[in-house]
Each structure stands twice: as C-alpha cells, then as structure tokens.
C-alpha cells in the first residue's frame, strides 16, 4: 500500500512473524537418542544456520506453530495457529494452504538455493596412511593380500 510521506510516498508492508518447527539441518542419532549436526557442519551447528531459510522452510517436516501479523489494513495485530480457521482478512493473491498456513503469491516465494549450497560438503573419508613397516606396499595391495585394517594397525603398517 502506497501512502504520501512528506514530498514523496512510502510503501507500507504487512508485518508477519512465524514460529516454526523443521527438522532441516538435523540428523537423528537413534543410538544417542538425540539430534546431531549434519556431517561437515562447523562446530556442531545445527538447523536453520546450516541449511538457510529457503531449505528450512521447504523441508517436508516444516510446520507453522503460530503466526502474529498486521496486514496494515486497519484490523490491527492478529494471531493465528493451525487449529484456527484460515485468516479471512488476507489480501488478494495470498491464499491459505490446506494445512491452514499462509502462502504468499508465487512471485514472492524465494527459490531454493542451488543444490550445492543446501548442505555443507561432507567431511572427506580419512586417508589411509601406510607406515614404513609396510615396506612401500599400498593399502590396496595389502587388502588384496588378505590383510584387514585391524591387522595393518596392529602390526604398525598403517596409522590408526
């Protein structure tokens, strides 16, 4: 909505604040019975800071827990949660989804980032370092000869 402001105009935009739940950027560790950071996440960071807002919002587990909004239409601040009926004061072009959450017009939706930016790169597998006791044999040669990782480490032919 455009309004006069001094010698020019200003655009008044609605305010919306969502409280959400999403499992994006978390991995469930059943053995430890807790959520873990994804591989490659720095310093154990999890969730939204790791995957970004677009991936977080589009994850299949995402739910809107509640929303507070002011559409600047004279109705003032309003509150909504999923057990309530969809808001009736939505502006043209904004439609409620079947779950009851509000979806902006397609042009206003931020596209997800390129797949390369969705998750940090995985941590590379540790390199197998052969020690002098292997007398120049490669890891592949030792394995082909019947050695196992445990035996190579036990005989100090490979670093643990």
């Amino acid at each position: 909505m455009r309004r006069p402001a001094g010698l020019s105009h200003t655009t008044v935009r609605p305010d919306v604040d969502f409280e959400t739940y999403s499992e994006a950027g978390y991995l469930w560790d059943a053995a430890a019975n807790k959520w873990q950071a994804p591989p490659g996440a720095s310093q154990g960071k999890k969730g939204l800071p790791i995957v970004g807002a677009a991936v977080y919002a589009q994850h299949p587990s995402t739910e809107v827990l509640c929303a507070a909004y002011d559409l600047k239409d004279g109705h003032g601040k309003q509150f909504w949660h999923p057990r309530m009926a969809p808001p009736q004061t939505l502006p043209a072009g904004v439609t409620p989804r079947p779950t009851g959450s509000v979806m902006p017009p397609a042009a206003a939706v931020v596209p997800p980032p390129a797949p390369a930016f969705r998750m940090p790169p995985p941590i590379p597998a540790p390199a197998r370092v052969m020690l002098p006791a292997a007398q120049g044999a490669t890891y592949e040669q030792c394995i082909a000869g019947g050695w196992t990782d445990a035996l190579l480490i036990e005989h100090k032919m490979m670093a643990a």
Side-chain angles (χ1 to χ4, degrees):
M1 174 181 345
R2 225 177 119 129
R3 293 189 177 165
L7 299 175
S8 186
H9 289 86
T10 186
T11 302
V12 179
R13 300 190 189 277
D15 294 328
V16 180
D17 179 30
F18 289 97
E19 294 301 323
T20 60
Y21 168 85
S22 179
E23 295 171 7
Y26 295 88
L27 294 176
W28 179 250
D29 182 349
N33 199 31
K34 65 179 186 176
W35 292 102
Q36 301 287 355
S42 64
Q43 300 173 355
K45 290 184 180 179
K46 304 177 245 195
L48 179 61
I50 297 299
V51 297
V55 172
Y56 182 91
Q58 293 177 3
H59 193 272
S61 70
T62 300
E63 297 177 38
V64 175
L65 302 176
C66 65
Y69 60 97
D70 184 350
L71 300 176
K72 311 291 175 139
D73 58 359
H75 289 96
K77 295 178 183 175
Q78 299 180 58
F79 177 79
W80 178 86
H81 63 80
R83 285 185 235 135
M84 297 171 68
Q88 299 302 310
T89 56
L90 298 176
V94 177
T95 57
R97 292 196 296 186
T99 60
S101 59
V102 177
M103 187 68 178
V109 176
V110 177
F117 296 103
R118 289 184 183 222
M119 292 293 294
I123 297 172
R128 293 184 171 94
V129 178
M130 301 304 289
L131 300 174
Q135 298 178 352
T138 66
Y139 173 78
E140 291 77 16
Q141 290 170 333
C142 291
I143 295 299
W147 290 82
T148 64
D149 286 5
L151 283 173
L152 289 170
I153 293 168
E154 178 184 337
H155 290 275
K156 301 193 182 338
M157 296 172 66
M158 182 175 79

